[in-house]
Amino acid sequence: MTAVTVRTRSGPRDLRWLQVVAPLAVGVIVLGAWQFLVSVVGVSEYLLPSPASIAEQFVAFFPSIVSAMGITGLNALIGLVGGSLIGVLLAALASRWSPIDGMTAPVVASLAVIPIVALAPVLNTMFGADSQFSRQFIAGLASFVPVFLNTLRGFRQTRAVHRDLMTAYAASSGQVLRTVTLPTARPFIFTGIRIASSLAVISALVAEYFGGPRGGLGGLISTSAASSAYARAWAYVVASIVLGLLFYVATLALERLATRHGSPS
């Protein structure tokens, strides 16, 4: 007798479905267990509001949530764009001239360890309580570091033989950057921007805890918690998570779009 072995292979479509279904299933299980702890086990909503209570507050305060997401999202977006542009530009200069690389290394290392909780009150005092610039600056600072480090690493991936070949063809520095250096560094640049997108949202949220104009998600979370409206505070936390995911998905879509247009047909 011969044994016949049947092998099943998962196609790309099956894998895509698995990538969608698996996180949803985990989310449903976590929410179910959460609701069970509050409703059946008896965990006090003072300590842990139930998902049903959070959803109720989310619907009740939806206009306020949307407005707060717009304020925090705009601050994070301005910081992300500004920090990313400065990071890419400075990385390009550092990769080309070693003195600039030597000067920027300790500065970037120092910026990476600056605590937001210490910087936010200082900037709020400097730029005034009615200015959003301090939040945007903090988001830009948080975005700059990962974009700079990843971009610099990407620029250094270019092989010397490719640069020598472009030099042999009398290519200008701009042509080398456009045709060799940037295409090589592009995956690293977008990796840095994806990391920075989440950091920009988190930094803008944290900066809103320490004074300045009201109306952002961070300020509303703090205000709701201070007034013992914990379910409402959690509703704003959920909105913060959604905002962070939107930023991440947007940067991922931008990367795929740039990769598609940049790849040879």
Side-chain angles (χ1 to χ4, degrees):
M1 297 179 62
T2 57
V4 179
T5 303
V6 179
R7 295 182 179 179
T8 59
R9 296 181 179 179
S10 299
R13 182 177 300 179
D14 296 331
L15 292 177
R16 283 195 295 267
W17 271 106
L18 184 61
Q19 291 174 350
V20 173
V21 172
L24 290 177
V26 172
V28 170
I29 293 172
V30 171
L31 290 176
W34 186 347
Q35 186 68 42
F36 176 81
L37 287 174
V38 177
S39 302
V40 179
V41 178
V43 176
S44 174
E45 291 220 0
Y46 176 83
L47 298 175
L48 184 66
S50 67
S53 300
I54 296 172
E56 180 182 348
Q57 292 293 305
F58 192 94
V59 173
F61 289 87
F62 186 73
S64 173
I65 288 174
V66 172
S67 175
M69 289 178 68
I71 294 173
T72 303
L74 180 61
N75 289 333
L77 179 61
I78 292 174
L80 175 62
V81 173
S84 297
L85 290 176
I86 296 174
V88 172
L89 178 61
L90 195 58
L93 295 176
S95 66
R96 182 168 178 81
W97 289 290
S98 55
I100 296 180
D101 186 18
M103 289 186 295
T104 56
V107 174
V108 174
S110 301
L111 293 177
V113 298
I114 292 179
I116 299 175
V117 294
L119 186 62
V122 175
L123 293 179
N124 283 331
T125 303
M126 288 176 58
F127 298 106
D130 296 329
S131 175
Q132 296 281 6
F133 180 76
S134 60
R135 285 94 177 264
Q136 297 164 2
F137 182 85
I138 290 173
L141 192 65
S143 303
F144 165 77
V145 175
V147 173
F148 172 82
L149 293 176
N150 281 275
T151 302
L152 184 59
R153 182 183 178 188
F155 283 150
R156 288 173 174 169
Q157 299 300 310
T158 305
R159 296 182 180 179
V161 63
H162 294 160
R163 292 180 178 175
D164 293 341
L165 181 61
M166 296 297 292
T167 302
Y169 282 110
S172 64
S173 299
Q175 290 173 325
V176 174
L177 178 67
R178 187 176 64 254
T179 59
V180 176
T181 309
L182 273 181
T184 304
R186 183 166 51 204
F188 295 87
I189 296 173
F190 279 107
T191 297
I193 294 175
R194 282 206 314 273
I195 297 172
S197 65
S198 300
L199 292 177
V201 174
I202 294 171
S203 301
L205 280 166
V206 173
E208 290 172 351
Y209 277 87
F210 301 96
R214 291 293 177 180
L217 288 172
L220 292 176
I221 293 172
S222 177
T223 303
S224 300
S227 59
S228 300
Y230 298 109
R232 189 188 312 164
W234 273 93
Y236 289 120
V237 170
V238 171
S240 304
I241 296 173
V242 172
L243 182 63
L245 290 175
L246 287 176
F247 266 67
Y248 182 83
V249 170
T251 54
L252 184 61
L254 182 64
E255 178 182 6
R256 291 187 177 181
L257 181 65
T259 304
R260 184 183 306 165
H261 286 284
S263 60
S265 56

